[in-house]
Amino acid sequence: MPSAAYCRLVDDLCQLALLPNPKALYERTALTVGKVNFSLVERSGDPYSEVLIYTDLGPLPSQHRDAVLLRLLDINFHLFVGAGSPSCSYNSETQRLTLGVSLLLQAATGQRLLALLGQLADMAHNWRGDHFLERPSPRHAQVRL
């Protein structure tokens, strides 16, 4: 059962995004932003709760697979800055790449979450375009939480 704080966040997000029936998203929060699928999960813990955001980047390509996998490892290296850092992973059930991000529930607002989903959707479109192979190293790129 989702917490009252998580339900308020979903209500706020739905109001901003003009989505009807936010209560339908309390238990299973699956959204599409900019043709990118997202799953949001509340993870309760002491002393802080988090919203885990899973971004569906898409399938791994069959061409240049080794180069793509090495690129993803390089990206993970640069994204890791401590607790709550985003990370790329592979979901063997769906056979798709995901980008996971955690957001402190206490600091989350609908506006902040919607902006983050927009950023993540942009990253997913970049992945789908060139699998990050044509981009410079993300040494200074950060997902703004």
Side-chain angles (χ1 to χ4, degrees):
M1 178 151 204
S3 69
Y6 184 76
C7 292
R8 280 192 300 274
L9 178 63
V10 170
D11 289 342
D12 194 21
L13 176 68
C14 288
Q15 182 179 7
L16 288 168
L18 304 175
L19 298 172
N21 195 13
K23 291 179 183 177
L25 299 175
Y26 290 169
E27 293 290 332
R28 183 178 179 275
T29 310
L31 304 166
T32 301
V33 175
K35 298 183 182 178
V36 176
N37 295 328
F38 295 92
S39 297
L40 281 62
V41 177
E42 180 184 18
R43 188 176 88 174
S44 298
D46 290 328
Y48 301 105
S49 294
E50 299 174 293
V51 178
L52 303 179
I53 303 166
Y54 297 96
T55 309
D56 176 34
L57 295 180
L60 284 171
S62 55
Q63 293 184 333
H64 310 293
R65 192 175 180 99
D66 289 347
V68 169
L69 292 172
L70 284 174
R71 183 70 174 135
L72 291 173
L73 287 173
D74 181 54
I75 288 169
N76 271 345
F77 173 78
H78 293 290
L79 287 176
F80 182 74
V81 293
S85 293
S87 67
C88 295
S89 59
Y90 180 72
N91 183 331
S92 61
E93 291 179 21
T94 63
Q95 297 186 0
R96 296 175 74 81
L97 188 72
T98 60
L99 176 62
V101 178
S102 68
L103 183 63
L104 285 176
L105 181 57
Q106 291 78 358
T109 65
Q111 188 172 11
R112 187 173 181 201
L113 179 57
L114 189 58
L116 178 57
L117 294 176
Q119 272 188 306
L120 295 170
D122 288 344
M123 290 179 75
H125 290 294
N126 289 337
W127 162 262
R128 293 170 186 178
D130 63 13
H131 302 104
F132 300 146
L133 292 177
E134 300 298 322
R135 308 223 178 273
S137 181
R139 285 185 182 91
H140 303 290
Q142 292 183 348
V143 174
R144 291 183 199 102
L145 303 176

